[in-house]
Structure formats: C-alpha cells, structure tokens
C-alpha cells in the first residue's frame, strides 16, 4: 500500500515526539546523576575521601584506624586502612562483596554478601572465622554479641552470635533483602528490609514494631545517642535520615547515589560512604550561633 501524505506526516511527528521524549528523559536522568547533594539547615558536608569505586563499609578500631571496604564480588573485594596522609593500604584481599564492617573488641568483623561465606574477624594480624552466613550484609554489636542480617529475597535472617559460646541464634527469619541492623545504647534492636521499604524494631515476642515505611531502598542503620540513622541504597535521590530521640524524622542529606555505611565519629559528626559516586562524605552539625 502506498503511504498517503497524511500517514507520512503522522509518522514524522511520531518520530519527532519520540526523539523529544528521549532528550527529555536523558536530561532528567542526567540531572539526577550530576545534581549535587543537598544538606539540611544546621548541617554541613564535605568530601572526605574520593576516587574509591564500589566503596561500601566503614569502621574504626580501638586505636582509631579507619577501615574501608571495596564491595566487589568473586574474590575481588578488598579491605583498606587509611593512613594519616589519606593514602589507602590493602589489608585484606580475596573477599566476596565485603558489605559490612564493625569494630569488635580488639579487631574488625567483616561480612561477605556473595553467597554462603564466613563472617570473619581480623584481629592481632590474624583472621578467624566466626560463623557461616548466607549473604550476610549488615553487622552491629553491643560489645558482647554480634548481630547480622542476610540480604536474601524472602528467606533472609536476623542473627545473633555469642563469641564466647559460639552459639548462633536466629532472631527472625523470612526477611526480604535485609541490609541493615543496629543496636542502640538502650538495647533496642532495629533492622531494615529493603524489599519492603521499611525499618522495624525487633521484639522478643515476635511482634516486631514497624518504625518507618515507604522509604527509598532503606539500607544501612546506625544507632547512637542522637537517634537512629538510616541511609537509602537507591541509585538516585537517596537520603541520609535521622529518626531522633523525639520520634521526629529528619532528612540530613538528599540527592545521594547509593548511600551505604554511616560511621559516628562524635556527636553530630559522622562519615558516610556514597557508593554511587565512589567517595566518603564527612557530615557535621553546625555550631549554634551565639546571640
């Protein structure tokens, strides 16, 4: 059939509209990628370390040394330590998606998210296996026990490990993409399920309390005297949130790309790994101006 002038015109208009839509979408996603991080009033941030692709977990040991993980799979994951001159030294290689770090006693505990792999304890220059996990991601400690969550679709677990008895206890099962776990100074235990977009507080009777919902891929959790910190592990428009002691939810940073670990340095002073931009941010509460 020979195309009529009308059908030819419609086809050209359709192609033009498709091209315009592609340009608009490209511009929107480009804006999301390059848009700067925005910070809440009363806070500031700066780039603390840059040029660390796949940066994920952060921890400080008792001596104050900073450890940083590079979350690569297939035995390509690396644990670095940071020197005073900001240079990075490889401490452990051959890891598979080291996505969780926590200071524990005189060492650092390391999780591996990629499959059935051990949770490791680096201390005194040696490496010990603590327990076997299944896609373990988040780690936390109250100084006595270790807590861990497994990032699995529908069959993840919340775990507690007693290093003295070597007993591994399943506190909750059937979790969907559990990435973060935190224990507060008062003993409250929280965990995230990224697949369900919520944060819950663990209860011994099994009736866990829904604390936050409708989040944008909630990932890491950290709890201190200021409240519960949450990062969103989304590739665009992710946030650093603080659920403060009054129950108010504050957005401290927005426009992050795949927020990961939050490490407290002091009250109102923390580090944040931003994986999507391959860097670590330093976030500080601004001093209240004197009158």
């Amino acid at each position: 059939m020979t195309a009529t002038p009308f059908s030819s015109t419609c086809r050209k208009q359709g192609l033009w509209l498709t091209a315009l839509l592609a340009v608009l979408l490209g511009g929107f996603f480009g804006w999301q990628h390059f848009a700067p991080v925005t910070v809440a009033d009363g806070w500031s941030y700066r780039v603390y370390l840059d040029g660390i692709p796949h940066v994920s977990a952060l921890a400080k040991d008792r001596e104050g040394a900073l450890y940083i993980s590079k979350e690569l799979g297939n035995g390509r994951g690396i644990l670095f330590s940071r020197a005073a001159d900001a240079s990075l030294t490889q401490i452990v290689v051959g890891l598979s998606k080291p996505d969780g770090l926590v200071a524990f006693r005189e060492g650092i505990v390391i999780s591996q998210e990629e499959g059935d792999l051990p949770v490791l304890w680096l201390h005194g220059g040696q490496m010990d296996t603590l327990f076997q996990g299944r896609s373990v991601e988040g780690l936390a400690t109250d100084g006595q026990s270790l807590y861990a969550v497994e990032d699995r679709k529908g069959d993840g677990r919340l775990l507690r490990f007693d290093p003295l008895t070597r007993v591994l206890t399943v506190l909750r099962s059937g979790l969907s993409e559990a990435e973060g776990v935190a224990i507060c100074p008062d003993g409250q235990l929280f965990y995230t399920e990224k697949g369900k977009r919520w944060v819950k507080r663990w209860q011994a009777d099994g009736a866990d309390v829904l604390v936050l919902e409708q989040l944008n891929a909630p990932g890491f959790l950290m709890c201190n005297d200021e409240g519960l910190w949450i990062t969103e592990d989304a590739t665009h428009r992710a946030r650093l949130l603080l659920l403060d002691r009054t129950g108010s939810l504050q957005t401290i940073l927005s426009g992050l790309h795949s927020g990961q670990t939050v490490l407290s340095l002091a009250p109102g002073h923390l580090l944040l790994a931003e994986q999507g931009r391959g860097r670590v941010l330093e976030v500080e509460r601004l001093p209240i101006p004197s009158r």
Side-chain angles (χ1 to χ4, degrees):
M1 180 182 292
T2 303
T4 64
F6 177 77
S7 64
S8 177
T9 300
C10 288
R11 184 165 60 250
K12 289 179 180 178
Q13 288 178 340
L15 292 173
W16 182 84
L17 288 172
T18 300
L20 178 60
L21 180 61
V23 170
L24 291 174
L25 285 174
F28 174 72
F29 289 117
W31 170 81
Q32 288 197 110
H33 182 76
F34 292 106
V37 171
T38 57
V39 61
D41 290 343
W43 291 84
S44 68
Y45 83 93
R46 70 178 184 91
V47 177
Y48 182 77
L49 289 172
D50 206 354
I52 313 175
H54 308 284
V55 63
S56 180
L58 307 170
K60 274 197 168 187
D61 65 15
R62 285 183 172 179
E63 285 69 46
L66 176 64
Y67 293 84
I68 303 167
S69 76
K70 196 170 186 178
E71 189 195 354
L72 292 172
N74 298 316
R76 297 177 296 126
I78 303 170
L79 178 66
F80 296 96
S81 68
R82 179 186 182 272
D85 63 359
S87 63
L88 299 179
T89 301
Q90 293 185 12
I91 300 298
V92 182
V93 298
L95 300 169
S96 292
K97 297 196 74 175
D99 210 10
L101 296 176
V102 67
F104 184 68
R105 298 185 176 174
E106 68 275 16
I108 297 289
V109 177
I110 310 163
S111 72
Q112 299 183 88
E113 188 192 347
E114 193 172 56
D116 297 345
L117 292 167
V119 172
L120 304 169
W121 183 31
L122 175 65
H123 64 107
Q126 65 184 39
M127 186 80 79
D128 291 337
T129 293
L130 294 179
F131 61 91
Q132 194 77 13
R134 307 177 307 171
S135 305
V136 174
E137 184 159 346
L139 296 169
T141 182
D142 57 6
Q144 303 298 321
S145 298
L146 285 167
Y147 297 84
V149 285
E150 296 174 332
D151 185 1
R152 296 172 63 87
K153 293 185 181 295
D155 64 345
R157 300 176 297 172
L158 171 63
L159 306 170
R160 180 176 61 213
F161 176 73
D162 185 329
L164 296 179
T165 63
R166 311 292 294 183
V167 171
L168 183 67
T169 303
V170 178
L171 299 178
R172 199 64 71 237
S173 58
L175 303 181
S176 178
E177 297 178 85
E179 290 197 356
V181 61
I183 188 157
C184 298
D186 63 4
Q188 293 188 89
L189 181 63
F190 295 86
Y191 64 90
T192 64
E193 287 185 82
K194 188 169 76 172
K196 295 182 179 178
R197 304 176 62 190
W198 64 32
V199 176
K200 283 190 169 183
R201 185 174 74 245
W202 180 82
Q203 297 280 88
D205 62 4
D208 295 351
V209 177
L210 181 63
V211 177
L212 295 170
E213 58 183 333
Q214 298 302 311
L215 299 175
N216 185 15
F220 185 84
L221 294 178
M222 185 270 287
C223 193
N224 61 11
D225 289 334
E226 294 176 285
L228 183 67
W229 296 85
I230 307 105
T231 60
E232 293 179 325
D233 187 13
T235 54
H236 297 292
R237 304 174 69 183
R239 298 170 295 173
L240 169 64
L241 305 168
L242 171 61
L243 182 65
D244 67 23
R245 310 303 285 185
T246 70
S248 175
L249 184 64
Q250 303 175 34
T251 299
I252 307 302
L253 297 178
S254 58
L256 296 169
H257 292 185
S258 298
Q260 301 291 315
T261 298
V262 177
L263 176 64
S264 179
L265 301 178
H269 187 194
L270 50 93
L271 298 179
L272 165 66
E274 188 185 14
Q275 189 173 82
R277 290 186 172 106
R279 62 185 185 175
V280 177
L281 304 180
E282 183 176 14
V283 185
E284 282 192 273
R285 191 192 304 271
L286 295 174
I288 299 174
S290 57
R291 294 182 177 180

